[in-house]
Amino acid sequence: MTLLPVFVALFVSPAAAALVYADARRRDLSHRYCTAAASAVGLASFGGFLAASLFGSGLISTYYRLLDRPVIAFTPLDFLLSLLLAGLAVTVLAVLAYGLTSRYGPFAPS
């Protein structure tokens, strides 16, 4: 387990949560919804980085199996970048999910 993704999450997760909160306040959504949406995105982001940190070697070997490429060895830089990209992908998906549900989903303002 490497702690670099968790360290990066300490900066990325609050930034994503602040972005969601600012967008929700700009659109005049309720304070309760703003707080819930920002908290959900922040927790999902941190959880994605934490999962990448905990299950890193399993994630990269699964990735190579999906590509049908044999894994002989991978460099430490390749390993760290794949962990960071996995955490960032979860963060982007969480922000996109907020955007879609707040505009077109059941929580969209009438």
Side-chain angles (χ1 to χ4, degrees):
M1 178 176 111
T2 179
L3 295 178
L4 180 66
V6 176
F7 179 72
V8 171
L10 293 176
F11 298 102
V12 173
S13 297
L19 176 75
V20 167
Y21 188 82
D23 179 65
R25 291 306 304 171
R26 181 187 58 83
R27 293 177 44 226
D28 292 330
L29 298 175
S30 70
H31 181 68
R32 177 186 237 179
Y33 183 77
C34 293
T35 305
S39 299
V41 168
L43 286 174
S45 173
F46 190 78
F49 280 102
L50 186 63
S53 178
L54 292 176
F55 306 114
S57 59
L59 286 174
I60 198 165
S61 64
T62 302
Y63 171 73
Y64 279 115
R65 278 192 212 132
L66 288 174
L67 293 179
D68 290 331
R69 291 176 23 194
V71 179
I72 298 170
F74 46 86
T75 64
L77 181 62
D78 187 27
F79 179 66
L80 289 176
L81 288 178
S82 66
L83 294 182
L84 294 178
L85 285 176
L88 287 174
V90 170
T91 302
V92 167
L93 287 176
V95 171
L96 286 176
Y98 154 75
L100 291 175
T101 57
S102 69
R103 284 169 177 77
Y104 306 113
F107 301 113
S110 298

